[in-house]
């Protein structure tokens, strides 16, 4: 029995060590599939912020605001997002949509979220469905990153 417990602990430590390679915050969410659900929910929110930040950055010049001015204000006020705060450190932040890049992966995750909703008891109203479709369209047509 002691040997069995020792082997079990070693396996758990090995799994935990392997997961820690992927990230420093590991959460136990629930039953099988829950982790993927959380991933696509999180990436839906991230996708919203990516499209929103890129959109306002591309429009700022039309309102006589520079990219740097806007980012400074966004990142010190209620418009701050993970994406805006880390823009210069994210290697894909300035990418345009391509079928094989990170923006396309965000699109895939949004589609996975919508597929999950279709298989659930969700009762998204028409406005939310329109928003979800607009997000997909926004990712595929993400504004070019402005160069001041």
């Amino acid at each position: 029995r002691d040997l069995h417990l020792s082997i079990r602990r070693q396996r758990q430590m090995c799994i935990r060590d392997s997961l820690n390679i992927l990230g420093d915050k590991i959460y136990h969410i629930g039953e099988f599939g829950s982790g993927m659900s959380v991933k696509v929910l999180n990436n839906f929110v991230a996708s919203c912020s990516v499209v929103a930040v890129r959109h306002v950055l591309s429009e700022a010049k039309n309102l006589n605001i520079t990219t740097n001015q806007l980012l400074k204000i966004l990142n010190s006020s209620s418009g701050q997002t993970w994406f805006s705060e880390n823009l210069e450190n994210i290697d894909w932040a300035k990418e345009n949509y391509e079928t094989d890049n990170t923006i396309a992966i965000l699109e895939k995750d949004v589609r996975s979220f919508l597929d999950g909703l279709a298989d659930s008891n969700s009762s998204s109203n028409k406005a939310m469905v329109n928003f979800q479709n607009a997000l997909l369209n926004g990712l595929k047509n993400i504004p070019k990153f402005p160069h001041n």
Side-chain angles (χ1 to χ4, degrees), residues 7-128:
I7 291 172
R8 177 188 269 174
R9 280 190 207 117
Q10 287 177 339
R11 272 195 204 135
Q12 288 173 339
M13 288 173 55
C14 182
I15 291 169
R16 194 172 325 132
D17 289 345
S18 296
L19 290 174
N20 284 333
I21 292 170
L22 300 174
D24 55 352
K25 294 180 183 173
I26 307 298
Y27 299 97
H28 176 70
I29 301 301
E31 60 188 69
F32 184 77
S34 297
M36 182 54 80
S37 295
V38 167
K39 177 188 183 288
V40 298
L41 289 164
N42 182 68
N43 284 355
F44 181 89
V45 173
S47 298
C48 292
S49 70
V50 168
V51 171
V53 169
R54 287 281 296 268
H55 176 63
V56 298
L57 289 176
S58 73
E59 294 293 348
K61 68 182 176 295
N62 296 323
L63 300 171
N64 299 315
I65 306 294
T66 69
T67 300
N68 290 337
Q69 287 172 321
L70 180 57
L71 282 171
K72 184 176 181 178
I73 300 302
L74 285 176
N75 292 332
S76 63
S77 65
S78 59
Q80 188 274 336
T81 67
W82 172 85
F83 185 72
S84 69
E85 185 74 28
N86 294 288
L87 197 60
E88 294 303 321
N89 301 320
I90 301 170
D91 60 354
W92 54 267
K94 299 176 183 178
E95 290 180 352
N96 294 319
Y97 178 87
E98 299 289 338
T99 57
D100 61 349
N101 68 8
T102 303
I103 303 295
I105 292 171
L106 290 175
E107 177 203 19
K108 175 195 64 77
D109 284 346
V110 170
R111 290 188 186 283
S112 293
F113 167 67
L114 298 179
D115 289 346
L117 287 183
D119 294 338
S120 74
N121 294 325
S122 173
S123 58
S124 290
N125 62 40
K126 186 174 181 175
M128 287 298 100

